[in-house]
Amino acid sequence: MHLKTKDKRWRVLVTRRIPRAGLALLEPDCDYHVLAEEGLPSHEDVVRAAVGVDGIISLLTERIDAAVMDAAPGLKVIANYAVGFDHVDLAEARRRGVLVTNTPGVLTETTADFAWALILAAARRVVEGDEEVRAGRWRTWEPEGLLGVDIHHAVLGVVGYGRIGQAVARRGAGFGMRVIFHDPGEQESVPLDDLLRQADIISLHVPLTPATRHFIDRERLRLCKPTAVLVNTSRGGVVDQDALAEALAAGTIFSAGLDVFESEPLSPDHPLCRLKNVVLAPHIASASRATRDRMAVMAATNLLAALRGETPPNLVVRP
Ligand code: GLV
Ligand code: GLV
């Protein structure tokens, strides 16, 4: 079904600037408006800019809720520039017959690479070492200076064994690790509490849903080995961040690497920022040039398919 008449161009809101590769695809058929060329638009700005649009490309930084959808009664699609879509009100979208899409697959390997960057940095104290060198505190080679934990031949516990979790696990094989995972959908899934007791390195790869909010809470952190390293590249809300800061401060786990936070950006006043045994990254796991370009193409392709009345390749909500 072709909904577009010859002279109608679709009106598209792009909430923030995305790579050119995606915008170029929109040009032939859409009048698009990039709301924020830089920085973050407010929710009010998004609502105002959504008035009358046929489609929205949004980022994980914008809450796309009923107010946004109300502004655009003809809205056909919310094409999300991210694999995670916890910031989109799916129930509202479904109720209105608005399609929601995401960008899975293209960022899997890049995100898994970064989970490993955090694993290595947190286990081997790479950032602390860098700080010592720069600050002129490096005096001598020391038999017991900056001791970390071994990754090779350790037990890797992957929580959420989807695309990204599996890509992280594959890399573990190169380090001779034994991999265990927790994922209720998978046959060899280990109960989460057992995984936390056994794993030396724990990497989180579950989407944020009501069921996974504070999946790793104070009780569960207590199950971890004092030598454990916890890495989160999924969503901040999966971990009780305050409980994690306490566990790190008390040394009941060895270290952590975090790319995601309960509220982003993380305030520099947060207790986590005062701890040496945590490596903090500003939500950059998928940030390679090639991957961010592919995500833009994928979001635009999904949007255009939906506007043409076709089934977008990466639907997360069907009408
Ligand atoms: C990034 O966090 C994403 O969901 O793509
Ligand atoms: C360390 O540099 C070593 O030679 O053991």
Side-chain angles (χ1 to χ4, degrees):
M1 182 177 48
H2 237 268
L3 300 172
K4 179 167 159 284
T5 61
K6 205 154 175 283
D7 34 76
K8 166 149 185 312
R9 289 170 65 78
W10 290 302
R11 290 186 56 197
V12 172
L13 166 65
V14 183
T15 55
R16 295 176 58 195
R17 189 172 66 201
I18 62 168
R20 183 76 218 134
L23 297 177
L25 289 180
L26 303 181
E27 260 146 35
D29 298 307
C30 306
D31 290 327
Y32 68 85
H33 167 55
V34 178
L35 175 60
E37 278 293 336
E38 275 178 41
L40 203 60
S42 70
H43 185 251
E44 259 177 24
D45 289 343
V46 174
V47 170
R48 237 189 323 262
V51 170
V53 300
D54 303 300
I56 299 177
I57 294 183
S58 61
L59 276 58
L60 58 88
T61 43
E62 284 82 60
R63 187 159 47 85
I64 305 296
D65 58 8
V68 178
M69 298 181 219
D70 280 344
L75 187 66
K76 291 183 188 61
V77 56
I78 298 161
N80 179 40
Y81 179 84
V83 65
F85 42 81
D86 45 280
H87 53 290
V88 180
D89 189 332
L90 299 186
E92 278 296 328
R94 196 174 287 119
R95 205 164 64 70
R96 294 151 195 261
V98 174
L99 304 183
V100 179
T101 66
N102 68 340
T103 59
V106 290
L107 49 67
T108 300
E109 301 295 332
T110 302
T111 302
D113 285 351
F114 195 76
W116 271 94
L118 291 179
I119 290 171
L120 290 160
R124 296 302 305 275
R125 307 177 67 174
V126 174
V127 178
E128 278 179 88
D130 179 274
E131 281 167 1
E132 284 211 357
V133 175
R134 287 171 198 268
R137 287 195 307 269
W138 180 30
R139 300 278 176 244
T140 176
W141 188 91
E142 279 188 278
E144 293 180 298
L146 285 178
L147 298 183
V149 295
D150 277 324
I151 294 161
H152 70 84
H153 301 94
V155 176
L156 172 61
V158 178
V159 179
Y161 205 58
R163 287 173 298 256
I164 301 171
Q166 290 176 31
V168 167
R170 279 197 299 278
R171 285 158 175 75
F175 285 84
M177 299 180 92
R178 183 161 76 82
V179 179
I180 55 177
F181 60 84
H182 171 76
D183 193 322
E186 298 284 331
Q187 229 180 20
E188 286 165 46
S189 172
V190 168
L192 181 59
D193 291 359
D194 292 348
L195 180 147
L196 296 175
R197 282 190 197 96
Q198 291 173 39
D200 299 302
I201 309 285
I202 301 155
S203 195
L204 306 179
H205 303 285
V206 289
L208 180 61
T209 66
T212 62
R213 183 171 294 281
H214 286 194
F215 211 34
I216 307 296
D217 59 9
R218 189 167 269 104
E219 302 293 297
R220 286 196 159 129
L221 284 167
R222 278 199 199 111
L223 303 175
C224 298
K225 297 181 181 181
T227 49
V229 174
L230 176 73
V231 164
N232 190 9
T233 52
S234 61
R235 283 293 181 268
V238 171
V239 177
D240 179 339
Q241 197 167 278
D242 295 337
L244 175 62
E246 285 165 28
L248 287 165
T252 59
I253 75 167
F254 182 72
S255 66
L258 305 175
D259 187 45
V260 288
F261 302 90
E262 290 199 57
S263 162
E264 296 180 5
L266 179 69
S267 160
D269 298 326
H270 193 276
L272 281 172
C273 295
R274 292 195 289 276
L275 297 170
K276 284 196 177 297
N277 56 342
V278 60
V279 177
L280 305 170
H283 205 147
I284 54 172
S286 71
S288 76
R289 179 78 264 168
T291 288
R292 289 287 168 86
D293 284 352
R294 285 192 199 110
M295 288 166 66
V297 168
M298 201 169 198
T301 303
N302 281 319
L303 176 107
L304 289 168
L307 292 177
R308 289 181 185 129
E310 297 158 9
T311 303
N314 310 104
L315 263 188
V316 294
V317 164
R318 320 182 158 267

